[in-house]
């Protein structure tokens, strides 16, 4: 998706909690590697908060660098073709071996 593409290109995505669903870094325990826009009192992120977080992330070089490094690491570890390919092949082999059983 567009958020992981942004990470892959070294960008720091700014998004809402909904946009970040399922994109928590599995190993560092710090949650979403990009910038999350806080919810307003009404429960949703508003345009002003979104703009403010975008400007804050862009203007704070250290914050940007940390988020950028975490995003690149997240993509490298979560979407590694070799590791995921081996997992997928193993999954298919197990399914194939148990095919008759699973059809019952």
């Amino acid at each position: 998706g567009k958020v992981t593409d942004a990470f892959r290109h070294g960008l720091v995505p700014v998004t809402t909690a909904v946009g970040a669903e399922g994109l928590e870094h599995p190993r560092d325990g710090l949650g979403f590697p990009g910038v999350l826009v806080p919810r307003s009192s009404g429960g949703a992120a508003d345009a002003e908060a979104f703009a403010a977080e975008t400007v804050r992330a862009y203007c704070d070089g250290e914050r940007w660098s940390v988020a950028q490094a975490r995003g690149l690491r997240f993509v490298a570890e979560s979407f590694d073709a070799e590791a995921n390919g081996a997992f997928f092949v193993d999954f298919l082999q197990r399914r194939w071996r148990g095919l008759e059983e699973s059809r019952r």
Side-chain angles (χ1 to χ4, degrees), residues 29-51:
L30 298 175
F32 179 67
V35 176
L36 280 177
V37 178
R39 293 181 176 170
S40 66
S41 59
D46 60 30
E48 287 182 19
F50 206 97

Side-chain angles (χ1 to χ4, degrees), residues 42-86:
D46 60 30
E48 287 182 19
F50 206 97
E53 286 301 316
T54 301
V55 169
R56 192 173 302 129
Y58 183 75
C59 291
D60 183 340
E62 184 176 343
R63 182 180 185 195
W64 180 275
S65 294
V66 168
Q68 181 183 48
R70 288 186 64 233
L72 289 168
R73 190 173 69 238
F74 166 75
V75 170
E77 292 175 1
S78 300
F79 300 98
D80 178 80
E82 189 173 318
N84 288 331

